[in-house]
Amino acid sequence: DVKVTQSSRYLVKRTGEKVFLECVQDMDHENMFWYRQDPGLGLRLIYFSYDVKMKEKGDIPEGYSVSREKKERFSLILESASTNQTSMYLCASTTGLLYGYTFGSGTRLTVV
Amino acid sequence: KQEVTQIPAALSVPEGENLVLNCSFTDSAIYNLQWFRQDPGKGLTSLLLIQSSQREQTSGRLNASLDKSSGRSTLYIAASQPGDSATYLCAVRNTGRRALTFGSGTRLQVQP
């Protein structure tokens, strides 16, 4: 089975800190995604990557950046964390057009 | 822009009942539709993936159907159990788009 691993289950950071959320998949998938999930707003796409060093903005990229230096790893970066970035962050990967998505277990980020 | 709607938003049933969760989408130009389960505070677990050319998929007590032309999918859960209590999300992958579009979910509670 494909495994998507998010490095932290819970994080607490201070306002203004630079925050890195890491995601690793073990099945050589070319596509990787970062979503955030908030009550009442559902899952919203932040960024995705379709190859090493390739990225595209999703629906809510403001305040975030991403890095994909190796195929298996996709990092989400909060340049200067703010309290409105407190959320559940979910990473996913997939390959090809006809395959399903596999999600990680999520990172609950609290910015204080 | 694709919109995905799930009805009902919440559902409570006694153990043993058969139940149906509904998902509708506005744009029928999809590659596939995927049903997920999410336990509180956790990531998404894939349940079933239906390709646009398929009518249904089955896994154990779960059966998902797809009517692409009318923009509808249903998830049927047979003989529900308390362990089925979770939020169920449907998501579609549109042609020409790499990311999924999610519904807001149905929160299911199965009473023992």
Side-chain angles (χ1 to χ4, degrees):
Chain A
D1 280 352
V2 177
K3 195 169 183 181
V4 177
T5 302
Q6 294 184 233
S7 55
S8 304
R9 290 282 285 125
Y10 300 96
L11 276 178
V12 179
K13 297 293 182 180
R14 295 193 181 277
T15 301
E17 274 193 76
K18 190 169 186 175
V19 181
F20 293 85
L21 303 184
E22 306 287 346
C23 177
V24 177
Q25 50 94 4
D26 65 357
M27 282 298 290
D28 203 37
H29 285 176
E30 65 273 16
N31 300 302
M32 297 186 74
F33 306 83
W34 277 105
Y35 288 84
R36 66 177 280 178
Q37 185 178 31
D38 301 286
L41 296 175
L43 277 95
R44 294 178 291 167
L45 180 67
I46 305 171
Y47 266 98
F48 68 95
S49 169
Y50 52 91
D51 203 347
V52 174
K53 297 190 187 296
M54 306 304 289
K55 61 187 179 185
E56 283 194 24
K57 294 179 180 179
D59 301 317
I60 52 163
E62 298 78 19
Y64 303 94
S65 62
V66 290
S67 172
R68 191 148 180 222
E69 296 297 318
K70 293 185 178 182
K71 194 172 186 179
E72 67 270 19
R73 185 180 297 270
F74 190 37
S75 302
L76 179 69
I77 304 158
L78 287 65
E79 297 289 344
S80 177
S82 65
T83 54
N84 63 12
Q85 292 178 310
T86 291
S87 187
M88 169 70 102
Y89 289 87
L90 293 161
C91 176
S93 74
T94 191
T95 184
L97 297 173
L98 302 181
Y99 291 83
Y101 286 61
T102 300
F103 278 81
S105 55
T107 296
R108 170 73 66 182
L109 173 67
T110 302
V111 182
V112 298
Chain B
K1 183 183 174 184
Q2 178 73 272
E3 291 184 7
V4 181
T5 303
Q6 291 188 246
I7 294 173
L11 183 63
S12 181
V13 300
E15 181 176 4
E17 271 204 10
N18 303 323
L19 56 100
V20 174
L21 307 182
N22 296 292
C23 173
S24 62
F25 48 95
T26 54
D27 182 353
S28 62
I30 64 171
Y31 287 124
N32 48 52
L33 182 146
Q34 196 167 358
W35 283 93
F36 294 90
R37 168 188 172 134
Q38 187 177 32
D39 294 291
K42 302 288 179 63
L44 277 63
T45 300
S46 180
L47 298 174
L48 289 163
L49 173 69
I50 312 179
Q51 303 299 337
S52 62
S53 58
Q54 296 177 320
R55 298 286 293 186
E56 64 178 67
Q57 281 284 348
T58 297
S59 176
R61 294 183 294 109
L62 305 180
N63 176 277
S65 69
L66 175 64
D67 183 343
K68 196 177 77 159
S69 61
S70 68
R72 293 182 183 178
S73 177
T74 62
L75 179 67
Y76 174 82
I77 303 176
S80 58
Q81 303 170 358
D84 295 329
S85 298
T87 296
Y88 291 80
L89 295 149
C90 75
V92 298
R93 185 172 183 182
N94 277 88
T95 56
R97 187 170 155 82
R98 296 177 193 265
L100 295 175
T101 302
F102 282 86
S104 51
T106 294
R107 191 170 66 252
L108 172 67
Q109 181 130 22
V110 181
Q111 308 286 352

